[in-house]
Amino acid sequence: PLAALLGASLGLLFYRQTTRQMSLEQSLRRSVARDCEDFRIHYQPIIELETDRCVGVEALIRWQHPSMGMIRPDRFIPIAERNGLIVPLTRWLIRTAIDELAPQLYGDPKFHVGINLAASHFRTFDLVDDLRQLVAYTSLRPSQITLESTEREILSDYDQTPLRVMEMLSAQGFSIAIDDFGTGHNGLAFLQRFPAQILKVDRTFVDTIGTDAVKRPVLDAIVDLGQRLTMGIIAEGVETPEQAAYLRAMGVPYAQGFFFARPMPVADLNAYLEDLEQS
Ligand code: C2E
Ligand code: CA
Ligand code: CA
Ligand code: CA
């Protein structure tokens, strides 16, 4: 009887989990169908360490759920990936980001926006067509769009499509960044196959500055590797002035993190950029 009771309550628990999952999935589907009406984009500045200037932003998606409040991307991106919603959602994001950032992007041909891509974008050539059209109909330069992807998304032993998609995007002049660098398990050999110009050093390595003298050499080695490969380097998750100073002294060109600015809506970004210009 105890086992039956346990089984029943586990069943109930599972049922509750599944229905909660389903309703999240259903409202995600509904919102995407309504032209992504409940989604917002927050922009986090990327800073050139030598000059303290903002050279671009990363676009980070937010879901303003009508009853549950703001839901973080880590919770809904995996769901959107599983049921094919990530592709229309990212299409909306790219369109909206370019709209919202028009003054910066068209005013400064060096200003760039970073877009996060999920694995599903690399299984077809649709993204290549989308982006090609986008730059054909605007005066944007492909280099103003940085496509961020982790190693996991691209490398597959049995399918060469992801790598081909990435190579085509790169050949068209879009800039490609390896996101969360150092957290994957592919070793270093993959770097030679990955057509990326930018390396984003994961926050866990930046965290070691000032806290973990034993692990910090790993950060130093990653930066050294990026420099030897003449890649652009962006340090992620910079939270303290010590971390910024250390990275600057090492010659890391770009940084991003709460120390400089948090991700924010476009109105706040505009005010932030204006302040920065005046200081
Ligand atoms: P990510 O691409 O590594 O983005 C950086 C994350 O670090 C963001 O979290 C940002 O808010 C956070 N962050 C920035 N500076 C700091 C800092 O100084 N300290 C700390 N502790 N965190 C910092 P967010 O916005 O919650 O996004 C989480 C992840 O969700 C992203 O990681 C990315 O993998 C994914 N994501 C976000 N937007 C999109 C999107 O439009 N499409 C896809 N496919 N994934 C997205
Ligand atoms: Ca990213
Ligand atoms: Ca990252
Ligand atoms: Ca990430």
Side-chain angles (χ1 to χ4, degrees):
L2 188 63
L5 195 65
L6 204 64
S9 51
L10 272 177
L12 187 65
L13 194 71
F14 181 70
Y15 171 77
R16 282 208 182 123
Q17 289 271 353
T18 319
T19 43
R20 174 134 40 92
Q21 224 25 35
M22 259 170 59
S23 66
L24 207 58
E25 185 174 328
Q26 277 163 353
S27 47
L28 194 65
R29 200 178 290 283
R30 194 175 313 131
S31 181
V32 170
R34 294 179 182 167
D35 199 27
C36 302
E37 64 177 7
D38 297 328
F39 293 93
R40 306 283 179 272
I41 308 175
H42 285 188
Y43 301 96
Q44 187 175 35
I46 295 170
I47 305 297
E48 184 175 52
L49 284 169
E50 208 177 298
T51 59
D52 278 331
R53 287 183 48 223
C54 173
V55 293
V57 292
E58 176 173 5
L60 295 158
I61 198 157
R62 301 287 179 260
W63 186 12
Q64 194 60 53
H65 191 279
S67 57
M68 294 168 70
M70 182 144 99
I71 305 179
R72 299 208 69 95
D74 290 327
R75 274 194 64 202
F76 67 86
I77 292 290
I79 302 176
E81 277 204 67
R82 269 201 306 277
N83 55 29
L85 293 171
I86 190 71
V87 173
L89 193 57
T90 308
R91 263 208 189 114
W92 169 86
L93 177 128
I94 295 175
R95 232 187 317 118
T96 309
I98 285 171
D99 237 39
E100 293 189 332
L101 299 171
Q104 286 80 29
L105 289 169
Y106 294 107
D108 175 2
K110 286 212 172 104
F111 195 91
H112 59 83
V113 55
I115 307 287
N116 290 287
L117 296 178
S120 4
H121 291 103
F122 295 104
R123 296 201 196 103
T124 71
F125 291 90
D126 294 0
L127 179 73
V128 179
D129 293 339
D130 276 5
L131 287 170
R132 199 197 330 242
Q133 286 203 14
L134 185 81
V135 292
Y137 291 114
T138 63
S139 56
L140 282 180
R141 299 175 190 207
S143 59
Q144 291 184 280
I145 299 176
T146 302
L147 303 168
E148 303 192 1
S149 159
T150 64
E151 321 159 27
R152 208 169 43 248
E153 251 87 72
I154 302 304
L155 291 187
S156 156
D157 292 333
Y158 51 90
D159 185 6
Q160 292 293 305
T161 312
L163 202 59
R164 291 286 303 123
V165 168
M166 186 135 268
E167 282 164 355
M168 286 177 77
L169 291 165
S170 172
Q172 288 183 25
F174 294 100
S175 75
I176 311 280
I178 308 179
D179 208 350
D180 304 345
F181 186 75
T183 59
H185 301 282
N186 291 297
L188 297 175
F190 91 96
L191 256 183
Q192 287 163 316
R193 297 173 55 202
F194 206 109
Q197 301 83 41
I198 299 165
L199 195 153
K200 296 194 79 170
V201 181
D202 192 68
R203 171 159 58 90
T204 50
F205 302 106
V206 174
D207 275 347
T208 62
I209 302 170
T211 63
D212 192 337
V214 177
K215 287 197 190 135
R216 212 215 47 240
V218 180
L219 168 76
D220 300 352
I222 290 174
V223 170
D224 184 58
L225 180 70
Q227 286 169 338
R228 282 173 198 269
L229 294 170
T230 65
M231 295 176 81
I233 304 173
I234 304 177
E236 294 191 283
V238 177
E239 292 181 349
T240 69
E242 291 76 27
Q243 290 171 345
Y246 184 92
L247 294 161
R248 191 178 287 119
M250 274 195 92
V252 172
Y254 308 108
Q256 178 182 353
F258 296 168
F259 172 65
F260 300 103
R262 285 180 179 260
M264 54 190 137
V266 70
D268 296 354
L269 179 74
N270 286 328
Y272 167 87
L273 291 174
E274 228 162 81
D275 278 359
L276 209 61
E277 246 167 57
Q278 269 145 32
S279 65

